[in-house]
Amino acid sequence: MKGTGPTSWSWLRRARFSLMYRRGRPPWDSGISPPELVATVTGDTALLSGRALDLGCGTGTNALYLARLGWDVVGVDFVAPAIARARAKAAAAGPLAGFVRFVRGDVTALGALDLGPPASYSLLFDLGCVHGLPPEGRSRYASGIAPLAAPGATYLLYAFAPRLMRGRPIGMTADEVRALFAPHFAVMRAVEGTDGGLPSSWYWLECQPAR
């Protein structure tokens, strides 16, 4: 029987997500890039294409969207079926203006993955990944992304407000987001909304120069 520590929790989480992908399309895998990401890279104040890191990339919808616009993208997810689908979609996509690569790995142990040189990502994107981690996992996640972000990089984060899901707390308040990523990132803008009638928020953070 497996224990109840962080390692067993991660194993159970991976098994649950893998099963959901094997059964079909999970509810969050819409196949459509969110308008908040679209506006960030194509709006009036759009970021110039560079390197992007998609954390919890799932089947690669958003990584491929960015690659079509000329970004060089690395997508990370710990669920094997999701990464397999993402790689298949990339192979079927044909020529891209940019580049995309999918890595199976744990977002709480980014230092163990081959993600390229430090301070090289000008865009980091998280569509509902970190908000589902336990506190110790969130801390490791935040520590792992900080060295990868270029000075002034944009970190676009979507998170539920705190609530229980299957009896387990998930979600983050705005104050928790600020505290978790300080001093490496500052929240520049936050937009509250709802997801299926439940509160959620988008956060635009900026990587702060080292002091």
Side-chain angles (χ1 to χ4, degrees):
M1 182 175 178
K2 294 188 178 293
T4 58
T7 300
S8 62
W9 181 90
S10 179
W11 182 89
L12 289 169
R13 184 168 178 261
R14 183 181 293 111
R16 179 168 62 83
F17 277 90
S18 294
L19 180 60
M20 294 178 76
Y21 277 106
R22 288 192 176 100
R23 284 178 171 174
R25 173 181 283 183
W28 58 83
D29 187 23
S30 68
I32 301 171
S33 292
E36 291 79 5
L37 174 62
V38 173
T40 297
V41 297
T42 65
D44 293 338
T45 58
L47 301 175
L48 296 176
S49 58
R51 297 195 75 215
L53 180 63
D54 186 356
L55 297 144
C57 66
T59 62
T61 295
N62 299 302
L64 281 163
Y65 169 74
L66 292 170
R68 290 186 181 101
L69 294 179
W71 290 80
D72 290 340
V73 191
V74 176
V76 179
D77 205 291
F78 74 160
V79 181
I83 288 294
R85 289 191 199 177
R87 289 171 176 166
K89 286 163 68 173
L96 299 168
F99 170 83
V100 67
R101 178 167 66 95
F102 293 104
V103 176
R104 184 187 174 195
D106 188 342
V107 296
T108 70
L110 293 172
L113 305 179
D114 176 18
L115 300 179
S120 60
Y121 289 97
S122 55
L123 174 64
L124 302 97
F125 179 65
D126 180 331
L127 182 61
C129 179
V130 69
H131 74 183
L133 299 174
E136 66 274 14
R138 293 178 184 181
S139 296
R140 292 194 297 269
Y141 170 108
S143 297
I145 68 169
L148 297 169
T154 294
Y155 172 38
L156 179 57
L157 168 67
Y158 172 80
F160 293 149
R163 68 179 190 245
L164 290 177
M165 179 175 285
R166 299 183 180 89
R168 185 174 62 82
I170 68 166
M172 305 170 72
T173 66
D175 285 343
E176 287 172 333
V177 170
R178 291 186 180 93
L180 178 63
F181 295 104
H184 304 292
F185 295 88
V187 175
M188 309 305 290
R189 183 161 66 103
V191 177
E192 295 181 356
T194 58
D195 185 344
L198 297 169
S200 61
S201 294
W202 282 93
Y203 300 93
W204 285 259
L205 296 90
E206 183 178 281
C207 182
Q208 303 297 292
R211 297 181 180 180

